[in-house]
Amino acid sequence: QSVLTQPPSVSAAPGQKVTISCSGSSSNIGSNSVSWYQQLPGTAPKLLIYENNKRPSGIPDRFSGSKSGTSATLGITGLQTGDEADYYCGTWNSGLGTGVFGGGTKVTVL
Amino acid sequence: EVQLLESGGGLVQPGGSLRLSCAASGFTFNNYAMSWVRQSPGKGLEWVSGISGGGGNIYNADSAKGRFTISRDNSKNTLYLQMNSLRVEDTAVYYCAKDREWLRVDLDVWGQGTTVTVSS
Protein backbone atom coordinates (compact mmCIF):
# COMPACT_ATOMS: atom_id res chain seq x y z
CA GLN A 1 0.00 0.00 0.00
CA SER A 2 1.74 3.17 -1.23
CA VAL A 3 1.65 6.41 0.73
CA LEU A 4 0.72 8.27 -2.46
CA THR A 5 -2.32 7.07 -4.40
CA GLN A 6 -2.35 6.85 -8.19
CA PRO A 7 -4.84 5.16 -10.53
CA PRO A 8 -3.49 1.81 -11.74
CA SER A 9 -4.06 2.63 -15.40
CA VAL A 10 -5.25 5.24 -17.87
CA SER A 11 -5.66 5.04 -21.62
CA ALA A 12 -6.45 7.20 -24.61
CA ALA A 13 -6.09 7.25 -28.36
CA PRO A 14 -3.05 8.72 -30.13
CA GLY A 15 -3.13 12.51 -30.14
CA GLN A 16 -5.44 12.70 -27.16
CA LYS A 17 -4.72 13.84 -23.60
CA VAL A 18 -4.43 11.88 -20.38
CA THR A 19 -4.12 13.05 -16.81
CA ILE A 20 -2.72 11.06 -13.90
CA SER A 21 -3.60 12.00 -10.35
CA CYS A 22 -1.45 11.56 -7.26
CA SER A 23 -3.14 11.94 -3.90
CA GLY A 24 -1.33 12.34 -0.61
CA SER A 25 -1.59 14.14 2.69
CA SER A 26 -0.48 17.26 4.50
CA SER A 27 2.71 15.44 5.56
CA ASN A 28 3.89 14.81 2.04
CA ILE A 29 2.35 16.55 -0.99
CA GLY A 30 0.75 19.19 1.18
CA SER A 31 4.13 20.42 2.43
CA ASN A 32 6.63 19.38 -0.23
CA SER A 33 7.09 19.61 -3.97
CA VAL A 34 6.19 16.72 -6.27
CA SER A 35 8.18 15.04 -9.02
CA TRP A 36 7.05 12.71 -11.78
CA TYR A 37 8.92 9.86 -13.45
CA GLN A 38 8.44 7.86 -16.63
CA GLN A 39 9.60 4.25 -16.73
CA LEU A 40 9.64 2.59 -20.12
CA PRO A 41 9.61 -1.23 -20.07
CA GLY A 42 12.93 -2.68 -18.96
CA THR A 43 14.57 0.68 -18.29
CA ALA A 44 15.40 2.91 -15.34
CA PRO A 45 12.98 5.68 -14.40
CA LYS A 46 13.44 9.11 -15.97
CA LEU A 47 12.60 12.45 -14.35
CA LEU A 48 9.78 14.19 -16.23
CA ILE A 49 8.68 16.92 -13.82
CA TYR A 50 10.25 18.37 -10.68
CA GLU A 51 9.15 21.05 -8.21
CA ASN A 52 5.52 20.37 -9.18
CA ASN A 53 5.63 21.82 -12.68
CA LYS A 54 9.19 22.23 -13.99
CA ARG A 55 10.55 20.18 -16.85
CA PRO A 56 14.21 19.13 -17.09
CA SER A 57 16.04 19.99 -20.26
CA GLY A 58 14.96 17.73 -23.10
CA ILE A 59 11.50 16.90 -21.78
CA PRO A 60 8.87 18.06 -24.31
CA ASP A 61 6.18 20.51 -23.25
CA ARG A 62 3.55 17.83 -23.93
CA PHE A 63 4.26 16.84 -20.35
CA SER A 64 3.00 19.15 -17.61
CA GLY A 65 2.56 19.04 -13.86
CA SER A 66 0.46 20.82 -11.30
CA LYS A 67 -0.23 20.66 -7.58
CA SER A 68 -3.12 21.76 -5.44
CA GLY A 69 -3.31 21.12 -1.73
CA THR A 70 -2.55 17.47 -1.10
CA SER A 71 -2.88 16.32 -4.71
CA ALA A 72 -0.81 16.57 -7.85
CA THR A 73 -1.52 15.89 -11.50
CA LEU A 74 0.58 14.91 -14.51
CA GLY A 75 -0.80 15.76 -17.93
CA ILE A 76 0.30 14.32 -21.24
CA THR A 77 -1.04 15.90 -24.42
CA GLY A 78 -0.64 14.75 -28.01
CA LEU A 79 -0.33 11.16 -26.82
CA GLN A 80 2.15 9.02 -28.76
CA THR A 81 2.77 5.28 -28.83
CA GLY A 82 6.19 5.99 -27.33
CA ASP A 83 4.47 7.37 -24.23
CA GLU A 84 3.31 3.88 -23.23
CA ALA A 85 5.03 3.44 -19.90
CA ASP A 86 4.57 3.42 -16.15
CA TYR A 87 4.43 6.82 -14.48
CA TYR A 88 5.23 7.50 -10.83
CA CYS A 89 4.82 10.51 -8.58
CA GLY A 90 7.24 11.11 -5.75
CA THR A 91 7.77 13.51 -2.89
CA TRP A 92 9.32 13.87 0.55
CA ASN A 93 7.25 12.83 3.54
CA SER A 94 8.12 15.20 6.35
CA GLY A 95 6.21 13.15 8.91
CA LEU A 96 8.05 9.91 8.13
CA GLY A 97 11.39 11.51 7.25
CA THR A 98 11.52 9.47 4.06
CA GLY A 99 10.98 9.75 0.35
CA VAL A 100 7.73 8.25 -0.95
CA PHE A 101 6.40 7.20 -4.35
CA GLY A 102 2.97 6.49 -5.71
CA GLY A 103 2.09 2.97 -6.77
CA GLY A 104 2.47 3.85 -10.43
CA THR A 105 0.09 4.32 -13.35
CA LYS A 106 0.31 2.40 -16.60
CA VAL A 107 -0.47 4.53 -19.64
CA THR A 108 -1.83 2.67 -22.65
CA VAL A 109 -2.18 4.25 -26.08
CA LEU A 110 -5.21 2.67 -27.74
CA GLU B 1 28.31 12.97 -19.60
CA VAL B 2 26.59 12.56 -16.23
CA GLN B 3 26.52 8.89 -15.36
CA LEU B 4 25.83 6.49 -12.50
CA LEU B 5 26.94 2.88 -12.63
CA GLU B 6 25.79 0.38 -9.99
CA SER B 7 27.49 -2.90 -9.17
CA GLY B 8 27.52 -5.52 -6.46
CA GLY B 9 24.17 -7.23 -6.97
CA GLY B 10 23.78 -10.98 -7.04
CA LEU B 11 22.22 -14.05 -5.48
CA VAL B 12 22.41 -14.31 -1.69
CA GLN B 13 20.78 -16.57 0.88
CA PRO B 14 18.32 -15.20 3.44
CA GLY B 15 20.24 -13.70 6.34
CA GLY B 16 23.22 -12.91 4.15
CA SER B 17 24.87 -9.61 3.24
CA LEU B 18 25.74 -7.64 0.12
CA ARG B 19 27.36 -4.29 -0.54
CA LEU B 20 26.15 -2.32 -3.53
CA SER B 21 28.30 0.37 -5.12
CA CYS B 22 27.40 3.27 -7.39
CA ALA B 23 30.19 5.00 -9.29
CA ALA B 24 29.39 8.56 -10.31
CA SER B 25 30.93 10.63 -13.08
CA GLY B 26 30.30 13.84 -14.99
CA PHE B 27 29.26 16.02 -12.04
CA THR B 28 30.67 17.34 -8.76
CA PHE B 29 29.69 14.37 -6.62
CA ASN B 30 30.07 15.94 -3.18
CA ASN B 31 27.70 18.78 -4.10
CA TYR B 32 24.70 16.49 -4.34
CA ALA B 33 22.63 14.25 -2.12
CA MET B 34 22.15 10.71 -3.37
CA SER B 35 19.44 8.09 -2.92
CA TRP B 36 18.86 4.37 -3.31
CA VAL B 37 15.52 3.30 -4.80
CA ARG B 38 14.45 -0.30 -5.35
CA GLN B 39 11.84 -2.06 -7.46
CA SER B 40 10.66 -5.56 -6.65
CA PRO B 41 9.68 -7.76 -9.60
CA GLY B 42 6.48 -6.47 -11.16
CA LYS B 43 6.06 -3.81 -8.47
CA GLY B 44 6.46 -0.07 -8.15
CA LEU B 45 9.31 2.12 -6.96
CA GLU B 46 10.30 2.15 -3.29
CA TRP B 47 12.59 4.82 -1.84
CA VAL B 48 15.14 3.07 0.41
CA SER B 49 17.71 5.52 1.73
CA GLY B 50 19.18 8.97 1.17
CA ILE B 51 22.42 10.71 2.14
CA SER B 52 23.43 14.36 1.99
CA GLY B 53 26.31 15.60 -0.15
CA GLY B 54 28.76 15.69 2.72
CA GLY B 55 27.52 12.41 4.14
CA GLY B 56 26.56 13.86 7.50
CA ASN B 57 22.80 13.41 7.16
CA ILE B 58 21.08 10.12 6.41
CA TYR B 59 17.46 9.03 6.16
CA ASN B 60 16.16 5.49 5.80
CA ALA B 61 12.85 3.87 4.98
CA ASP B 62 11.42 1.67 7.71
CA SER B 63 12.23 -1.38 5.58
CA ALA B 64 15.93 -0.44 5.70
CA LYS B 65 16.32 0.71 9.31
CA GLY B 66 18.67 -1.45 11.32
CA ARG B 67 19.67 -3.58 8.33
CA PHE B 68 20.86 -1.28 5.53
CA THR B 69 23.55 1.39 5.76
CA ILE B 70 24.03 4.06 3.13
CA SER B 71 27.42 5.74 2.88
CA ARG B 72 29.56 7.61 0.40
CA ASP B 73 33.24 8.16 -0.34
CA ASN B 74 33.48 11.57 -1.97
CA SER B 75 37.18 11.05 -2.72
CA LYS B 76 36.16 8.11 -4.92
CA ASN B 77 32.88 9.57 -6.25
CA THR B 78 31.14 6.44 -5.03
CA LEU B 79 27.92 5.72 -3.16
CA TYR B 80 27.38 2.50 -1.20
CA LEU B 81 24.55 0.49 0.30
CA GLN B 82 25.56 -2.14 2.82
CA MET B 83 22.72 -4.62 3.18
CA ASN B 84 22.70 -7.08 6.09
CA SER B 85 20.17 -9.63 7.35
CA LEU B 86 18.69 -9.86 3.87
CA ARG B 87 15.16 -11.19 3.45
CA VAL B 88 13.36 -12.74 0.50
CA GLU B 89 11.30 -9.55 0.25
CA ASP B 90 14.48 -7.52 -0.39
CA THR B 91 14.67 -9.13 -3.84
CA ALA B 92 14.61 -6.21 -6.27
CA VAL B 93 16.45 -4.09 -8.78
CA TYR B 94 18.33 -1.44 -6.81
CA TYR B 95 18.90 1.94 -8.44
CA CYS B 96 21.12 4.73 -7.25
CA ALA B 97 19.99 8.23 -8.16
CA LYS B 98 21.24 11.79 -7.88
CA ASP B 99 19.09 14.25 -5.97
CA ARG B 100 18.63 17.77 -7.35
CA GLU B 101 17.93 19.02 -3.85
CA TRP B 102 18.31 17.54 -0.37
CA LEU B 103 15.09 16.40 1.33
CA ARG B 104 13.22 16.22 -1.93
CA VAL B 105 12.57 13.39 -4.32
CA ASP B 106 13.84 15.18 -7.43
CA LEU B 107 15.97 12.37 -8.83
CA ASP B 108 17.37 13.68 -12.09
CA VAL B 109 19.98 11.04 -12.87
CA TRP B 110 19.52 7.28 -12.41
CA GLY B 111 21.83 4.33 -12.82
CA GLN B 112 20.86 1.28 -14.86
CA GLY B 113 20.19 -0.73 -11.71
CA THR B 114 21.71 -3.84 -10.13
CA THR B 115 19.66 -6.94 -9.33
CA VAL B 116 19.60 -8.44 -5.86
CA THR B 117 18.02 -11.87 -5.44
CA VAL B 118 17.53 -13.27 -1.95
CA SER B 119 16.73 -16.95 -2.10
CA SER B 120 17.74 -20.22 -0.56
Side-chain angles (χ1 to χ4, degrees):
Chain A
Q1 196 81 351
S2 302
V3 173
L4 305 180
T5 301
Q6 298 180 232
S9 64
V10 297
S11 61
Q16 297 301 302
K17 175 180 179 178
V18 295
T19 59
I20 300 171
S21 60
C22 176
S23 178
S25 70
S26 59
S27 297
N28 42 66
I29 293 177
S31 51
N32 295 286
S33 63
V34 176
S35 56
W36 289 91
Y37 303 85
Q38 176 193 60
Q39 188 176 33
L40 297 169
T43 69
K46 179 172 77 171
L47 180 65
L48 284 181
I49 298 289
Y50 66 98
E51 292 180 10
N52 304 324
N53 55 20
K54 298 179 181 178
R55 284 177 285 105
S57 174
I59 301 300
D61 59 8
R62 300 189 299 107
F63 295 91
S64 63
S66 64
K67 184 184 110 168
S68 179
T70 59
S71 294
T73 301
L74 173 71
I76 310 174
T77 59
L79 204 59
Q80 302 175 0
T81 56
D83 297 332
E84 286 202 331
D86 294 320
Y87 292 82
Y88 296 90
C89 58
T91 189
W92 187 254
N93 191 311
S94 303
L96 298 174
T98 68
V100 289
F101 288 101
T105 299
K106 183 175 184 60
V107 170
T108 300
V109 181
L110 301 172
Chain B
E1 181 189 4
V2 177
Q3 196 169 15
L4 298 172
L5 186 62
E6 302 97 335
S7 60
L11 174 64
V12 62
Q13 292 187 336
S17 298
L18 275 179
R19 188 177 84 154
L20 307 183
S21 299
C22 171
S25 60
F27 63 100
T28 305
F29 184 65
N30 61 7
N31 282 355
Y32 293 95
M34 298 291 294
S35 292
W36 286 99
V37 176
R38 70 182 182 182
Q39 187 169 33
S40 299
K43 302 296 185 182
L45 302 177
E46 180 187 7
W47 183 92
V48 174
S49 189
I51 186 168
S52 58
N57 293 288
I58 289 172
Y59 289 91
N60 293 300
D62 284 347
S63 58
K65 287 176 182 174
R67 299 188 302 127
F68 295 0
T69 302
I70 189 172
S71 64
R72 63 192 297 160
D73 185 337
N74 286 341
S75 70
K76 296 181 177 179
N77 289 351
T78 301
L79 175 74
Y80 302 101
L81 186 67
Q82 176 67 44
M83 302 187 296
N84 299 329
S85 303
L86 282 161
R87 305 166 179 164
V88 171
E89 54 265 35
D90 295 319
T91 295
V93 175
Y94 285 73
Y95 296 100
C96 66
K98 168 183 166 288
D99 283 81
R100 291 189 67 259
E101 296 282 344
W102 177 230
L103 297 186
R104 289 185 184 174
V105 181
D106 286 347
L107 306 174
D108 63 346
V109 182
W110 294 66
Q112 85 291 346
T114 188
T115 299
V116 172
T117 303
V118 184
S119 175
S120 55

